[in-house]
């Protein structure tokens, strides 16, 4: 089954049709800059444009950087506050004239990694971190997603963890890789002490440079790099729109 995957981010809105059996993109990826100000309406218009430019007509899954309950945006840590309470799935569905499923962006990336990437077949407790402007998290047990975890916002040293340990923090403060790795390590220790995962998967743009920080990490938990790299957001969003819990298959 092919589904169009949309990945809404702070700088770009990306999308492509995805073969949900293999996770591969079956149309060329389209990317349009996120409109500024990124009001919910402007995001809907741009997302619709991404779908239209791809010539897609069919089911759509969308990853969005906030807590999503029943298609409605419930938080806004890194996005326009006007999004809170916005029925994103409803608005996209109305514009596109078909079914749209909206999920948290970290959850979308995690679904893709569990099905096709680094978490494939792992039945224990898996935590996936998507390090970008913020810290997206997704948690799986027995291959099943526990949706909308927001572990990027645990408090460390009196501050929001993502403010100190996201890739955005590294760039904003111009941290060396060693300095950044120390921050990430502190965050990982805090989270492993709370959750005791069996595996931590690190994804996001930063996962391409894992050799810069992985050697400095001292956690007890096994840490691996995401395999799907940047496409996880798109493929996972598409997967989220497929009825029945998709990651189950990975563990059969
Ligand atoms: C948001 C999460 C989101 C993450 C990554 C955080 O600030 O609270 O919902 O998954 O950023 O975009």
């Amino acid at each position: 089954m092919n589904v169009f995957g949309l990945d809404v981010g702070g700088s770009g809105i990306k999308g492509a049709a995805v073969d949900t059996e293999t996770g591969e993109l079956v149309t060329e990826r389209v990317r349009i800059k996120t409109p500024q100000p990124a009001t919910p309406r402007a995001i809907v218009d741009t997302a619709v444009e991404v779908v239209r430019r791809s010539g897609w007509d069919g089911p759509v899954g969308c990853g969005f950087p906030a807590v999503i309950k029943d298609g409605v945006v419930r938080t806004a840590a890194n996005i326009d506050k006007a999004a809170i309470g916005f029925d994103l799935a409803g608005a996209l569905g109305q514009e596109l004239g078909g079914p749209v499923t909206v999920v948290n962006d970290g959850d979308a990336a995690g679904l893709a990694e569990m099905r096709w990437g680094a978490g494939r077949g792992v039945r224990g407790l898996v935590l996936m971190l998507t390090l970008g402007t913020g810290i997206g998290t997704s948690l799986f047990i027995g291959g099943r997603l526990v949706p909308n975890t927001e572990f990027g916002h645990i408090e460390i040293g009196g501050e929001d963890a993502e403010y100190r340990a996201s890739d955005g923090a590294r760039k904003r403060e111009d941290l060396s890789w060693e300095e950044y790795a120390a921050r990430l390590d502190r965050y990982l220790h805090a989270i492993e002490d709370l959750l005791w995962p069996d595996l931590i998967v690190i994804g996001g743009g930063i996962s391409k440079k894992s050799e810069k920080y992985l050697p400095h990490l001292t956690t007890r938990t096994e840490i691996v790099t995401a395999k799907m790299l940047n496409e996880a957001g798109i493929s996972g969003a598409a997967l989220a729109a497929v009825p029945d819990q998709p990651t189950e298959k990975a563990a059969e």
Side-chain angles (χ1 to χ4, degrees), residues 44-220:
V44 167
D45 291 346
T46 309
V48 166
E49 179 63 20
V50 170
V51 179
R52 297 244 159 89
R53 273 197 207 172
S54 307
W56 178 256
D57 186 17
V60 173
C62 174
F64 192 80
V67 168
I68 305 291
K69 298 286 274 184
D70 299 324
V72 178
V73 179
R74 302 297 293 270
T75 62
N78 281 313
I79 56 169
D80 194 309
K81 303 285 178 254
I84 295 176
F86 186 74
D87 181 0
L88 185 57
L92 284 171
Q94 200 163 21
E95 292 294 324
L96 293 167
V100 178
T101 305
V102 182
V103 294
N104 169 265
D105 58 349
D107 285 348
L111 285 169
E113 281 302 324
M114 292 301 289
R115 176 78 178 261
W116 302 295
R120 199 186 161 123
V122 183
R123 303 293 295 167
L125 194 72
V126 182
L127 175 70
M128 159 121 186
L129 303 176
T130 306
L131 301 175
T133 312
I135 298 181
T137 64
S138 61
L139 189 67
F140 294 82
I141 181 76
R144 271 190 174 262
L145 173 68
V146 179
N148 287 312
T149 55
E150 287 284 324
F151 297 122
H153 298 298
I154 63 170
E155 200 177 296
I156 294 188
E159 276 183 313
D160 201 23
E162 79 172 11
Y163 185 71
R164 290 188 56 82
S166 66
D167 194 33
R170 180 183 67 82
K171 291 179 180 155
R172 191 180 62 239
E173 297 184 47
D174 199 18
L175 300 175
S176 71
W177 280 107
E178 219 168 321
E179 286 168 327
Y180 176 68
R183 291 217 189 159
L184 184 59
D185 200 43
R186 187 169 173 202
Y187 172 64
L188 291 169
H189 276 280
I191 202 109
E192 72 174 355
D193 288 348
L194 290 172
L195 291 175
W196 284 80
D198 299 299
L199 180 69
I200 296 177
V201 181
I202 297 189
I206 202 171
S207 51
K208 278 180 241 159
K209 299 192 181 129
S210 58
E211 77 284 356
K212 309 259 194 205
Y213 55 87
L214 273 188
H216 302 293
L217 302 180
T218 64
T219 50
R220 76 174 86 83

Side-chain angles (χ1 to χ4, degrees), residues 211-233:
E211 77 284 356
K212 309 259 194 205
Y213 55 87
L214 273 188
H216 302 293
L217 302 180
T218 64
T219 50
R220 76 174 86 83
T221 313
E222 185 189 350
I223 300 202
V224 294
T225 298
K227 284 196 183 142
M228 308 279 297
L229 300 176
N230 268 343
E231 310 304 6

